[in-house]
Amino acid sequence: MFQRTIVTAMAMTLCASTAIAQDLPQASSEYFTAAQANLEAAIAREPNTNQATNIILFVADGMGVGTNYGIRLFQGQQMGLLGEEHNLVYDLYPNTAIIKTYNINAQTPDSAPTAGAMNTGVKQVFNTINMADTVVHDDCSTESPLRLFSEMLSDAGKSVGVVSTARITHATGAAVYAKTANRNWEDEAPEGCTDIATQLIEQMEAGVIDIALGGGISAFAPEGTELAVGSGGRPDDANLIERAQAAGARFVYDADTLAAADAGAPILGLFSGSHMSYEYDRPETEPSLADLTAAAIEQLEGNGDGEGFYLVVEAGRVDHASHGGNAYRAFTDGVAFAEAVALADEMTDDENTLIIVTADHEHVISFNGYCGRGTPITGLCMGVASGQVEHSGEPALADDGMPYTVVSYTNGAGSVLVEQEDGTYAGSRPEVTQEAAMDPDYLQQALIPMGSETHSGVDVALWAKGPWAHLFGGTMDQEMIFHVMNHAAFGAAE
Amino acid sequence: MNRRAFFATATGAAICAPFVASPAHAYEEQVRLRELYNNDMSFTDFALEQEGKRVAIEGFMAPPLKAESQFYVLTNRPMAVCPFCSSEAEWPNDILAVYAKRVVDVIPFNVMIVTRGVLELGTYTDPELGFVSRVRVVDATQERV
Ligand SMILES: [Zn+2]
């Protein structure tokens, strides 16, 4: 009966559904009215079948559904909210999908083949980038390169940009322009293969890549060369910065030189020796991810041909912070990522710009219970209070009588099992105060001892808006991202 | 050059009179390693004020570069060795080089320790290891917190 009424109400449009609402005792609840408003928006929504002039692919490295949840609460709490009710800017995008992330030969993926899948439309081999499924990791002679989305778009007259807070030669960024049997060949490769930094400059010379902004300057100049930031580390004597400049690219290396760069020619921006800083540690001279994203959009739009662009933006260090077992930096870099998405969204038009926000893989992060509303997401799990709304202020206790943090990692450097003098591992859960847990340098308790916390094979989410974003839905394989982008850019015109 | 002379003296003194340089710990400022650096990697006022004085710095002992050494690197957070983060030995900026009084008993990388010794500022390249440091604690002892 109720079910049928709902169906009828929906068929009869909004007025009827509002009428139903008024009859229910819960109808005046804010939760109810907010959900009704969202329902109205969903009913009114129409698919955007325009051809996509611009496509922006945002990838937060290592930000699966769990990590995204932590970032959401962290930003909400920074804003003075309890946290749970908050939404990150892309949480509200109309189209979402659950994304499977496995690699051809790995249940637990790494960032190279996952980003490669997004850029080629096929799954790839663990630790390789943009090679056919016959490639053998680390074997130069087996390289069999695929064709990239960036190359297809460049041929169609579009501009292409890549931005990352990791080294620009690191997996996710590299997958936009490079093809390699080993993701670690960033500054040197065996005879017959080409290192990733050199491939970037080749793609700039070929006109495929117009803008590359990130860290990792050391891969672009010979060992010992003094550079604007850091020094060179290449084993050969190639100065790739000079080579890019000779090909007409402008070189920028800090927030000021980035801001001063005019639109037009290609830009190579390298802002640190290796990875750029975590947002929490970032000096003012280093641009933020939002700064980099805005500069890239301005430059790509300023290319002036009106053909549009493809831009990939990676928050590379959400991943690194979790590898280090430090949720605070994972969440602060995640907030910086959300700010970059928000800015890109403001600078572009939903009518002609497809924005996709996703991750390459998840980590072994988990969230303990039962915590009350507003429990600080990087702190101790506080009890649920009877009477509403906020938590009790008293830490929940485990069976050992001690409190525990909301976040923990299943493995990693925060392990409670510590190496003993005889080489065995032993230990117990230390007592943690709220002050210690909330410290930005705190490592959440972990179980399995490992020098570096690992990725997880768990699904990630994808959020999208703009032309053909409605093609995303349900549970999808990661390579579908390429296929939807490809359709949005080319298929719609056919 | 001066610095190396200083090392010789400091080490020599430590060997001849191991108990001389052990003032009561209560007189040393005990701080986290992060108190030495600003975000732009300049030294903090605290670091500048403590130069040449005995300090106690909390941090983590990075896995040693070589066995049976008096040298180790103190890191602000446990030094995760991540195959996906760095392809070669790559140090964070905010580290502290430590020259201990005697050969170091290795402490696991994720156990917090306190390192006590004399704070030195300024770039120095270790003649043997080639390790370049911007800040050091010399004549050091270390223990678990
Ligand atoms: Zn990773």
Side-chain angles (χ1 to χ4, degrees):
Chain A
M1 176 65 193
F2 182 74
Q3 194 75 8
R4 200 150 34 117
T5 317
I6 288 283
V7 171
T8 314
M10 283 180 64
M12 287 172 61
T13 80
L14 299 178
C15 307
S17 105
T18 309
I20 290 275
Q22 284 164 353
D23 296 340
L24 300 170
Q26 62 268 41
S28 60
S29 158
E30 267 183 52
Y31 294 113
F32 198 101
T33 53
Q36 283 287 316
N38 286 338
L39 179 71
E40 288 176 22
I43 293 168
R45 196 174 295 139
E46 289 186 7
N48 178 342
T49 55
N50 298 335
Q51 188 173 5
T53 310
N54 310 311
I55 298 175
I56 308 179
L57 174 59
F58 280 96
V59 180
D61 200 307
M63 187 194 72
V65 174
T67 304
N68 187 70
Y69 165 80
I71 295 165
R72 179 193 303 150
L73 269 72
F74 188 85
Q75 187 182 46
Q77 291 174 348
Q78 276 188 320
M79 294 164 66
L81 303 172
L82 292 171
E84 298 83 1
E85 71 279 40
H86 180 56
N87 287 296
L88 296 165
V89 61
Y90 50 82
D91 277 329
L92 299 175
Y93 283 5
N95 303 103
T96 58
I98 295 292
I99 300 290
K100 296 160 70 177
T101 64
Y102 72 95
N103 305 143
I104 287 175
N105 58 338
Q107 182 179 78
T108 314
D110 82 274
S111 302
T114 49
M118 298 179 207
N119 282 283
T120 61
V122 290
K123 286 201 195 299
Q124 301 182 7
V125 173
F126 195 66
N127 276 333
T128 71
I129 301 175
N130 296 328
M131 289 290 162
D133 58 6
T134 49
V135 72
V136 176
H137 172 238
D138 203 38
D139 183 346
C140 181
S141 70
T142 65
E143 287 200 342
S144 46
L146 304 172
R147 184 159 162 80
L148 306 179
F149 191 53
S150 60
E151 295 169 331
M152 296 161 57
L153 287 176
S154 172
D155 282 357
K158 288 191 192 294
S159 304
V160 178
V162 52
V163 166
S164 179
T165 49
R167 291 189 296 267
I168 198 67
T169 50
H170 202 247
T172 310
V176 181
Y177 59 83
K179 309 164 187 189
T180 178
N182 187 337
R183 57 173 284 176
N184 288 338
W185 293 342
E186 292 182 57
D187 62 3
E188 68 176 316
E191 184 80 37
C193 287
T194 307
D195 68 83
I196 295 169
T198 301
Q199 289 194 49
L200 173 57
I201 304 307
E202 287 175 353
Q203 291 280 41
M204 292 186 85
E205 289 169 341
V208 172
I209 298 293
D210 299 279
I211 292 178
L213 307 174
I217 200 170
S218 75
F220 290 82
E223 174 96 47
T225 315
E226 285 301 316
L227 300 168
V229 284
S231 58
R234 289 185 68 83
D236 66 11
D237 53 12
N239 189 318
L240 299 177
I241 298 167
E242 289 174 359
R243 183 171 155 186
Q245 287 172 316
R250 283 156 306 148
F251 171 64
V252 297
Y253 54 85
D254 63 11
D256 289 343
T257 54
L258 176 68
D262 301 324
I267 299 184
L268 176 64
L270 299 168
F271 304 94
S272 57
S274 179
H275 304 299
M276 292 177 69
S277 303
Y278 289 113
E279 176 61 21
Y280 177 70
D281 305 310
R282 181 172 62 83
E284 277 180 18
T285 50
E286 226 181 79
S288 68
L289 187 59
D291 295 336
L292 296 173
T293 304
I297 292 172
E298 280 170 10
Q299 296 287 340
L300 291 166
E301 283 184 336
N303 271 2
D305 50 20
E307 294 287 336
F309 62 84
Y310 171 48
L311 173 63
V312 178
V313 178
E314 184 204 20
R317 309 213 67 197
V318 173
D319 176 69
H320 297 169
S322 277
H323 279 306
N326 177 225
Y328 187 91
R329 280 175 178 75
F331 296 164
T332 44
D333 268 45
V335 169
F337 175 72
E339 287 169 352
V341 175
L343 191 53
D345 201 345
E346 276 173 33
M347 292 175 70
T348 54
D349 183 353
D350 290 354
E351 285 302 304
N352 66 9
T353 303
L354 171 61
I355 296 182
I356 300 167
V357 181
T358 189
D360 45 1
H361 58 75
E362 178 61 302
H363 276 262
V364 295
I365 192 169
S366 68
F367 296 81
N368 295 304
Y370 296 98
C371 320
R373 277 292 297 278
T375 292
I377 195 66
T378 58
L380 298 175
C381 179
M382 297 295 180
V384 178
S386 62
Q388 287 69 15
V389 171
E390 202 165 350
H391 63 79
S392 68
E394 291 295 320
L397 301 180
D399 287 355
D400 58 11
M402 290 193 288
Y404 49 89
T405 54
V406 183
V407 176
S408 58
Y409 289 95
T410 323
N411 64 46
S415 177
V416 297
L417 302 176
V418 175
E419 188 178 7
Q420 307 296 301
E421 284 185 12
D422 64 0
T424 62
Y425 283 78
S428 59
R429 244 163 48 76
E431 179 111 38
V432 183
T433 64
Q434 178 73 329
E435 188 192 358
M438 297 286 287
D439 191 291
D441 287 331
Y442 180 68
L443 267 57
Q444 280 67 26
Q445 288 177 0
L447 176 61
I448 304 167
M450 285 195 181
S452 172
E453 180 265 6
T454 70
H455 300 172
S456 150
V458 168
D459 299 338
V460 301
L462 177 149
W463 302 262
K465 69 185 309 195
W468 298 98
H470 56 281
L471 296 182
F472 288 113
T475 303
M476 289 180 154
D477 280 283
Q478 201 148 37
E479 56 271 23
M480 271 298 286
I481 294 169
F482 166 93
H483 294 274
V484 173
M485 294 195 301
N486 189 38
H487 183 78
F490 299 114
E494 281 163 8
Chain B
M1 187 182 68
N2 283 343
R3 200 163 296 283
R4 242 193 264 186
F6 171 81
F7 268 116
T9 315
T11 314
I15 290 165
C16 303
F19 302 111
V20 171
S22 308
H25 293 158
Y27 294 114
E28 299 157 352
E29 289 268 13
Q30 180 164 334
V31 298
R32 298 278 287 266
L33 172 50
R34 64 189 179 200
E35 303 299 332
L36 299 180
Y37 289 105
N38 295 311
N39 268 11
D40 64 1
M41 286 299 121
S42 61
F43 294 125
T44 58
D45 290 344
F46 173 83
L48 295 170
E49 282 160 16
Q50 299 296 316
E51 182 173 12
K53 298 179 185 162
R54 290 196 73 83
V55 291
I57 310 288
E58 293 174 355
F60 299 86
M61 184 186 288
L65 297 173
K66 86 192 236 291
E68 297 295 306
S69 175
Q70 284 172 266
F71 174 82
Y72 65 93
V73 173
L74 198 73
T75 61
N76 191 41
R77 295 192 304 284
M79 180 80 187
V81 280
C82 163
F84 298 128
C85 313
S86 48
S87 40
E88 67 274 359
E90 200 169 80
W91 296 97
N93 291 325
D94 55 344
I95 57 172
L96 173 70
V98 181
Y99 290 88
K101 274 183 183 174
R102 34 188 92 81
V103 170
V104 174
D105 287 329
V106 176
I107 298 172
F109 79 106
N110 56 351
V111 173
M112 188 179 267
I113 64 172
V114 56
T115 296
R116 297 189 167 84
V118 178
L119 187 70
E120 281 194 359
L121 305 182
T123 301
Y124 169 74
T125 304
D126 187 295
E128 190 195 339
L129 297 166
F131 192 93
V132 180
S133 55
R134 295 184 58 219
V135 53
R136 290 158 301 286
V137 166
V138 300
D139 194 27
T141 59
Q142 54 284 325
E143 63 180 343
R144 295 174 184 232
V145 170

